[in-house]
Amino acid sequence: MSDEDDDVGGEFVLIAAYSRAQALEDGTLVDVTELAKQAGIKAPVALTRSVWERYVELSPAAEKAGNDTTGRTWDILWMFRCAALQRPDEAEIRYQLHVVTDSIEPSLVELKAIIGPGDDGEAVITILLPEED
């Protein structure tokens, strides 16, 4: 195959587009912006559905430990804020926190936050599992 076979005329070809607004609307992302503002985070923040299901929704152990979804979300946001203040120039920030998951004994988990442009070029934050893109 020659280089000419790979040439698409120097144009960008869009195969599919999926906006942040669509992801929020269909539940792929969960908007936590209002609570994030209370934690001192100025940009809009969303958690992936996987983060929400794994670390915010209440497992039986989390219920037994007296957790609630607001407190669990707060912990995720506050620990992100602390990590971001230590690394203000990074677009991807990995951080850890303790979360009650399947056992009443909290587990140390890792999350990553990506700070990037939203649908209109504004700064937005998305908090994901480390293996998510």
Side-chain angles (χ1 to χ4, degrees), residues 13-129:
V13 178
L14 181 63
I15 296 171
Y18 184 63
S19 71
R20 184 178 179 86
Q22 289 172 308
L24 289 164
E25 186 177 314
D26 70 18
T28 301
L29 293 178
V30 179
D31 186 5
V32 294
T33 300
E34 290 307 311
L35 191 58
K37 286 179 185 176
Q38 293 176 34
I41 302 167
K42 296 178 183 176
V45 181
L47 308 178
T48 63
R49 175 60 53 190
S50 297
V51 169
W52 183 267
E53 289 174 354
R54 194 173 295 180
Y55 301 130
V56 176
E57 286 183 354
L58 297 176
S59 66
E63 286 181 8
K64 188 174 181 180
N67 287 186
D68 63 42
T69 57
T70 302
R72 290 165 69 89
T73 305
W74 178 268
D75 291 346
I76 289 168
L77 295 169
W78 185 256
M79 295 306 291
F80 160 72
R81 183 180 185 275
C82 293
L85 287 172
Q86 293 176 1
R87 299 183 295 274
D89 297 326
E90 294 184 24
E92 181 178 306
I93 298 171
R94 290 180 180 255
Y95 66 101
Q96 296 179 327
L97 70 152
H98 285 91
V99 180
V100 173
T101 55
D102 296 330
S103 164
I104 199 159
E105 187 68 32
S107 301
L108 184 62
V109 302
E110 182 178 19
L111 295 173
K112 81 177 169 186
I114 297 176
I115 304 163
D119 294 342
D120 298 318
E122 75 284 15
V124 297
I125 301 163
T126 307
I127 298 177
L128 315 91
L129 297 176

